[in-house]
Structures are given as C-alpha cells and as structure tokens.
C-alpha cells in the first residue's frame, strides 16, 4: 500500500476504532502509546470520521514517509515503521466490558437491573441446531424477515420479527442495542446514546446480558433462508448436533 494519509489516536481510545472497522483499505499499527491508521484514499466522508476520533491527529503522508498535519504545510514526524494489518482483522468485534463502560459515561458504572417494562423481544440467542431444525419446516414467510449470525461453537443470534417459536434467550433491540428481556440499563441512558458512544454502524448489534456485552458487526449476519442454514451447517463441519 502507498499511503496518502495517516491518523494517530491515543491507546486508551481503542473503542472508537470500531466505527472504522468495516471501511475497506484501512491498515492499523499498534505502538506503545498510540494506534496508527493509514490508507491510500481519503474521501470527504472518511476525513470527517477521522477528524472526529477522540484525541486524534490526521496527517498527509509524503512520498518519503514524512507526515504533514492535514491543515498545515510543514512536515512533523514520519510514519512509524512496523507490521501494519487490515483494521478489519486487527480490531475484534468483541470489545471488553470496561471499554464499553468508559465510553458511555465518564464516571458511570453501567449495569443491568430488573425491569418491569414489558417489551416484545426481537432478538433470540439459541444453539444453531435448534434454529436449523426449526428452519427445515418453517414457512418461507417466517424465514424471510430474519437474519442470523453463528459463532464457531454453534451459538446463534437471530434478529427480526416475528421470532421463531423456539426456546432460547430473548433480547429487546433498539438502535442496535439488544438488552436481555426483563432487564434495563442503569443509569438509564438511551439506546441512541449507547449506540453512538460505542461506535455502532448501521446493521451492527451489541448483545448485552448479565454476562457482559458483545459487538457483532453487520457483515457477520446473513439472511435466514434454508440454503443459508444448510451452508452454515456445512461450514461447522458437522460439529453441531442436529439430531435431537
């Protein structure tokens, strides 16, 4: 890659990198105190996103690797050397709970509490074999509104309405934040605020239960059809029992 731009953010701002993870062509390098980003194209939209990174700096990269702050003309430093990796590979979609909490409120300790506000569930966590068996006989009209993502251990996240009439762990999703049914965020922050602070992009899902949070990026979901279910079963290599 011949980079034309580079950006630097502080090490403790890693959670903000999630909003860039699905943008093609971005590479990342970790140093002792910072995260460095670079790319070969810089659109107006991408420049805006890079400028809003917390505690960050944006540079133009000269032919010899010197860095020029984006609004200046005098070089200031050089692009660090090291092993650069695609950001999609280097930044995991699963973020530690502590990072989520620190990004939501400066001194707030987020937790889930019991909620008596009944809301219809639209996310379901089930073993893959349960969804697979249901999908073999379910009418196509029931499959079409759904999308799913499956982990290597067979745990499957199903999104949409109406959900399959199968046993599982239910969640209520709003603005990409899926909170376990019967639970609520304390302090009471809106899902819009949580999604913005946690850097969710359209189609991403943050699954939040008493066990913690997990971010599932939009590209990990597929439309729920019988062919997709069969392909997933084949990809798991028969490691999931679907005989029960």
């Amino acid at each position: 890659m011949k980079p034309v731009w580079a950006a630097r953010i502080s090490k403790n701002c890693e959670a903000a990198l999630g909003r860039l993870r699905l943008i093609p062509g971005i590479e990342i390098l970790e140093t002792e105190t910072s995260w460095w980003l670079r790319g070969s194209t810089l659109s107006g939209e991408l420049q805006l996103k890079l400028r809003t990174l917390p505690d960050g700096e944006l540079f133009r990269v000269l032919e010899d690797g010197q860095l020029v702050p984006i609004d200046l003309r005098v070089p200031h430093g050089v692009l660090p050397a090291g092993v650069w990796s695609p950001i999609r590979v280097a930044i995991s979609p699963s973020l530690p709970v502590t990072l989520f909490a620190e990004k939501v409120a400066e001194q707030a300790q987020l937790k889930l509490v019991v909620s008596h506000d009944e809301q219809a569930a639209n996310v379901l966590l089930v073993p893959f074999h349960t969804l697979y068996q249901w999908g073999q006989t379910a009418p196509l009209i029931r499959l079409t509104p759904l999308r799913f993502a499956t982990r290597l251990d067979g745990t499957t996240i199903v999104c949409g309405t109406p959900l399959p009439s199968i046993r599982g762990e239910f969640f209520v999703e709003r603005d990409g934040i899926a909170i376990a049914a019967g639970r609520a965020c304390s302090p009471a922050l809106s899902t819009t605020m949580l999604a913005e602070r946690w850097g969710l992009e359209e189609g991403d899902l943050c699954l939040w239960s008493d066990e913690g949070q997990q971010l599932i990026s939009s590209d990990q979901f597929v439309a729920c059809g019988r062919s997709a279910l069969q392909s997933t079963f084949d990809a798991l290599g028969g490691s999931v029992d679907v005989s029960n």
Side-chain angles (χ1 to χ4, degrees):
M1 170 188 288
K2 184 178 180 181
V4 301
W5 65 267
R8 182 206 62 80
I9 71 170
S10 297
K11 201 67 168 291
N12 59 3
C13 296
E14 178 181 0
L17 296 175
R19 71 188 69 167
L20 303 174
R21 184 175 175 271
L22 299 182
I23 299 177
I26 296 181
E27 293 185 336
I28 190 168
L29 173 70
E30 181 181 4
T31 66
E32 185 175 347
T33 59
S34 304
W35 290 100
W36 282 88
L37 307 169
R38 70 180 186 183
S40 57
T41 59
L42 185 60
S43 65
E45 181 181 359
L46 177 56
Q47 183 172 161
L48 179 61
K49 289 188 176 184
L50 293 170
R51 283 178 176 272
T52 59
L53 289 172
D55 193 21
E57 296 177 279
L58 181 59
F59 305 90
R60 289 183 289 112
V61 181
L62 303 182
E63 291 284 343
D64 59 0
Q66 291 191 84
L67 301 175
V68 181
I70 200 70
D71 296 320
L72 301 176
R73 295 185 178 182
V74 179
H76 181 72
V78 295
L79 193 66
V83 179
W84 292 80
S85 304
I87 190 172
R88 191 183 186 117
V89 175
I91 300 300
S92 169
S94 298
L95 299 179
V97 175
T98 53
L99 286 181
F100 274 104
E102 289 172 1
K103 287 301 295 178
V104 172
E106 292 182 356
Q107 295 183 341
Q109 179 63 48
L110 290 183
K111 62 180 179 180
L112 292 180
V113 296
V114 174
S115 172
H116 299 291
D117 180 18
E118 294 188 8
Q119 300 183 58
N122 52 5
V123 173
L124 176 65
L125 191 65
V126 293
F128 175 73
H129 70 79
T130 303
L131 178 66
Y132 180 85
Q133 290 179 323
W134 173 82
Q136 300 313 295
T137 57
L140 290 179
I141 195 172
R142 293 295 308 277
L143 295 173
T144 302
L146 306 176
R147 61 180 185 140
F148 74 96
T150 300
R151 302 171 185 160
L152 290 177
D153 65 359
T155 303
T156 299
I157 303 155
V158 187
C159 304
T161 55
L163 287 171
S165 51
I166 53 181
R167 291 185 177 181
E169 186 177 354
F170 291 91
F171 294 76
V172 177
E173 180 269 330
R174 298 288 184 275
D175 302 307
I177 307 298
I179 297 178
R183 311 293 278 172
C185 175
S186 177
L189 300 179
S190 70
T191 51
T192 302
M193 178 182 293
L194 293 175
E196 181 179 351
R197 295 296 183 91
W198 292 350
L200 269 66
E201 299 286 351
E202 183 177 357
D204 291 350
L205 182 75
C206 177
L207 201 67
W208 190 5
S209 69
D210 291 331
E211 297 180 357
Q213 300 117 327
Q214 181 180 10
L215 177 63
I216 304 96
S217 62
S218 60
D219 65 320
Q220 293 179 289
F221 286 96
V222 295
C224 189
R226 275 189 263 277
S227 60
L229 291 171
Q230 187 61 51
S231 296
T232 302
F233 172 67
D234 295 340
L236 291 173
S239 60
V240 177
D241 180 12
V242 296
S243 61
N244 294 331

